[in-house]
Amino acid sequence: MMSAIGRWITVVFISFFMLGCSSIRARTETPDKEWTVYPGIQRDIKDTGGIFRGKNPDSVWAKGMVTTLLLLDLPFSAVFDTVVMPYDLYRIYAPKYSVENAEKGKHVNNPP
């Protein structure tokens, strides 16, 4: 009885930490020029589509496991992306600084 409860606790614990996994991965791997709104959902759909098109060389059971995790992650990524949308919009539309102008304290978009 105790091992069954321990297994369920482990599954719930791991699942809790995987929520929004694609959203976080998309935000850490996306360069500034390609930043979009809802990148986690886009990553989930892109990865799932790659599996269905046969672009993933993994075994069948691994493809099934990854596809299942991506589909389970989709609603959590949607919630996470919605909560973080103001930051995404700020990052898309805020004026960018270059390294040399940031040191001088000048905006790139506002030349002297």
Side-chain angles (χ1 to χ4, degrees):
M1 181 73 151
M2 210 43 175
S3 69
I5 293 172
R7 288 182 191 153
W8 276 108
I9 289 173
T10 303
V11 168
V12 169
F13 185 73
I14 290 172
S15 299
F16 179 74
F17 282 108
M18 286 179 25
L19 303 180
C21 178
S22 294
S23 295
I24 295 168
R25 189 179 72 180
R27 284 178 174 77
T28 57
E29 295 176 354
T30 304
D32 285 340
K33 293 178 182 178
E34 299 172 10
W35 200 265
T36 62
V37 180
Y38 289 99
I41 293 175
Q42 292 175 10
R43 173 71 71 147
D44 278 338
I45 292 170
K46 179 182 173 185
D47 291 346
T48 305
I51 290 172
F52 285 124
R53 283 190 297 269
K55 294 184 177 182
N56 191 340
D58 293 334
S59 62
V60 174
W61 70 269
K63 289 179 185 178
M65 179 77 88
V66 170
T67 303
T68 303
L69 290 175
L70 288 172
L71 293 176
L72 288 174
D73 181 63
L74 192 61
F76 297 108
S77 291
V79 170
F80 186 84
D81 286 346
T82 302
V83 170
V84 185
M85 188 187 319
Y87 172 73
D88 291 337
L89 292 173
Y90 168 77
R91 192 157 173 193
I92 291 169
Y93 295 111
K96 305 289 188 261
Y97 286 91
S98 70
V99 175
E100 55 200 36
N101 289 334
E103 292 171 358
K104 295 176 187 175
K106 298 180 181 176
H107 265 276
V108 174
N109 295 339
N110 297 332

